[in-house]
Amino acid sequence: MNKVKTISMIAGVVLLMTQAFPNTAEAKKKEKMKQQEEHYTFELSDKVTREKVTFKNRYGITLTGDLYLPKNRGEEKLAAIAVSGPYGAVKEQSSGLYANELAQRGFAVVAFDPSFTGESGGEPRNVASPDINTEDFSAAIDFLGIQTFVDREKVGIMGICGFGGMGLNATAADKRVKAIAVASMYDMSRVTAKGYFDSMTAEQRDGMLKQLGEQRWKDAEAGAPAYGTAGLPEPEQLTGEEPEFVQGYVNYYKTERGFHPRSINSNGSWTATNALSFMNMPLLTYINEITPRPILIIAGENAHSRYFSEDAYKAANEPKELMIIPGAVHTDLYDKVDVIPFDKLEKFFKENLK
C-alpha cells in the first residue's frame, strides 16, 4: 500500500470516529449543564410527589412551578400554600425546600419561579417588579383554587426573603388568602429606595434616580436592556472582611449548598435599571389591612434583615406574631431544616387554614 492511500485511509477512519463519537468534552459539558439545570438543592421526601405545572398571571405571563402533594392525602380536600423566594432565587432552591417540608405535613404546595426568572416567562429576563411579582402570588392562588383536590377556602402564602414583602403585599389586596407566614423577610422597596437601615441620603437617592434615567437612554439607544455586574463574588474571592450577610449569600448561592444555574444570585445579574420601580412604590403601605387574617413573621436573632421583620410586625394589626430564632442569621432560614421552625409553620397554617 502506498503512502497516499495509507494517509487517506487514516483520514477516513478519523472522520468515521468523529461522526460516531462526537466531541466527548463538549458532550460531557452539555450533560453536566443539563444535570445542573435539573438539580434541586434538597432531596425530595419519599412522602411527597412533585409535578411541574404552569399557570398564567393576569398580565399573560406564564409562570412555572412545582406542585408538591402528600402521597397519603386521601379523599379530603387539602389546605394549600403558595410559596416563593428568596429574591433572585428559583424554585429548585429554598422555596422548593419549604414546599417539600410543608407537603409532608399535609398541605398542597406550589413553589414557583416569579415572572422574568427561572423557568417562568416574561421579557426581558432577570427583572423584578413590585406590582407584577405581587401579582405572581395571586396567580398561584388562582392555580391552587381551581385544583379539584384543594379547598379554595383554605389557601395561604409562605414568602421568603424579598418575596416575604411581596407576599404581604399580595395578602393585603387578595382577600382569598387566609393566612401568611414570612421568613427572613425583606422589604425590597424600602431597601432599594432608602438603602440598608435607611442610610441613603436625599442626595444619594437623587443621584441614583438620575443614573437610572441615563441608563434608560442607553437601553433605548441599544434596543435592549443592559445588565449589571454579578452581585456576589466567587467564594475564593472572599477576604473575610465582607459583611456577614454577603458571606452568607456567597456560601449559599455560590457553593454546592445552594447553587443553581438558573438562579440570578448564583449565576447571573439583574438588569441595570431593575431598581427603578421599587424606588417609589412602597410594598407594605397597606399591611394593616391584612387583619383579621393572621400573620406569622420569622426572623433570625442575628440576621442583618431583622429590622424589616420587626418594623413589619409593628405596622401590622392583630392577629400577628413575631418569632425570633435564637442565634440564626438571614440565610439560616433558607435551607437549614433544623433551624427553620417547620413545626410552628405547620401549627400556624393548620390552625388558620380551616
Side-chain angles (χ1 to χ4, degrees):
M1 187 180 293
N2 62 41
K3 187 175 182 181
V4 173
K5 286 185 177 180
T6 302
I7 293 173
S8 297
M9 288 180 64
I10 292 171
V13 170
V14 170
L15 177 62
L16 286 170
M17 288 179 66
T18 303
Q19 293 172 338
F21 303 100
N23 188 308
T24 304
E26 186 64 26
K28 286 183 177 179
K29 184 178 178 181
K30 289 181 179 179
E31 180 61 25
K32 183 177 180 181
M33 180 60 72
K34 182 180 179 182
Q35 289 175 354
Q36 284 183 327
E37 289 176 348
E38 295 174 352
H39 168 68
Y40 287 78
T41 61
F42 57 93
E43 289 189 13
L44 181 67
S45 168
D46 59 8
K47 300 176 182 177
V48 169
T49 62
R50 178 171 60 206
E51 175 189 1
K52 188 164 290 188
V53 297
T54 60
F55 50 93
K56 287 188 176 183
N57 66 19
R58 65 186 179 89
Y59 293 104
I61 298 171
T62 298
L63 304 180
T64 300
D66 286 323
L67 178 64
Y68 292 77
L69 296 173
K71 285 183 178 178
N72 60 344
R73 66 178 187 267
E75 299 299 321
E76 187 176 348
K77 289 191 173 185
L78 302 175
I81 302 167
V83 55
S84 195
Y87 188 76
V90 289
K91 64 188 179 303
E92 291 83 3
Q93 296 172 312
S94 183
S95 61
L97 180 146
Y98 272 74
N100 184 53
E101 291 290 331
L102 290 168
Q104 292 179 60
R105 296 162 187 264
F107 300 97
V109 192
V110 63
F112 63 90
D113 288 335
S115 295
F116 313 108
T117 61
E119 292 187 300
S120 288
E123 294 290 339
R125 304 305 295 164
N126 297 7
V127 66
S129 161
D131 176 23
I132 297 174
N133 293 149
T134 292
E135 157 63 20
D136 289 342
F137 268 114
S138 287
I141 299 300
D142 294 343
F143 168 79
L144 289 169
I146 63 173
Q147 304 309 308
T148 57
F149 48 81
V150 167
D151 185 338
R152 66 168 57 176
E153 299 303 316
K154 300 177 181 179
V155 292
I157 282 175
M158 177 79 233
I160 308 160
C161 185
F163 278 81
M166 310 284 193
L168 289 166
N169 194 36
T171 304
D174 194 334
K175 302 297 183 180
R176 300 173 300 171
V177 181
K178 298 301 189 293
I180 177 169
V182 296
S184 287
M185 193 272 291
Y186 253 61
D187 179 344
M188 289 308 305
S189 54
R190 179 178 175 183
V191 74
T192 304
K194 298 182 178 182
Y196 281 106
F197 302 100
D198 303 336
S199 61
M200 186 183 294
T201 66
E203 291 76 15
Q204 288 171 329
R205 175 179 167 83
D206 183 65
M208 184 174 177
L209 287 169
K210 287 178 179 177
Q211 181 182 2
L212 288 167
E214 289 299 318
Q215 185 61 51
R216 290 190 64 133
W217 284 124
K218 294 176 183 178
D219 290 352
E221 289 170 347
Y227 286 82
T229 56
L232 294 172
E234 296 300 322
E236 61 271 16
Q237 295 174 317
L238 291 177
T239 66
E241 296 181 3
E242 296 84 1
E244 180 280 325
F245 67 92
V246 172
Q247 297 182 50
Y249 287 144
V250 170
N251 289 332
Y252 179 74
Y253 289 109
K254 293 287 194 172
T255 69
E256 191 174 323
R257 171 185 168 194
F259 178 86
H260 195 280
R262 284 193 292 266
S263 167
I264 297 169
N265 296 335
S266 286
N267 202 38
S269 60
W270 296 99
T271 60
T273 58
N274 185 60
L276 192 57
S277 60
F278 289 93
M279 294 294 284
N280 64 344
M281 296 184 186
L283 281 165
L284 302 186
T285 301
Y286 297 103
I287 189 174
N288 62 317
E289 294 186 5
I290 293 177
T291 186
R293 295 163 294 159
I295 303 171
L296 173 62
I297 300 174
I298 305 167
E301 178 187 17
N302 298 324
H304 71 284
S305 57
R306 177 175 169 175
Y307 72 103
F308 291 125
S309 293
E310 292 175 333
D311 287 354
Y313 176 77
K314 291 173 186 174
N317 289 333
E318 296 285 355
K320 59 183 179 179
E321 182 178 355
L322 175 62
M323 184 178 188
I324 303 298
I325 307 300
V329 298
H330 183 86
T331 52
D332 285 344
L333 298 182
Y334 283 10
D335 65 336
K336 294 190 176 180
V337 294
D338 57 336
V339 175
I340 301 167
F342 281 113
D343 289 344
K344 175 68 176 181
L345 286 167
E346 177 184 0
K347 181 180 179 183
F348 172 78
F349 282 118
K350 284 186 175 178
E351 286 181 350
N352 295 296
L353 299 183
K354 61 182 181 180

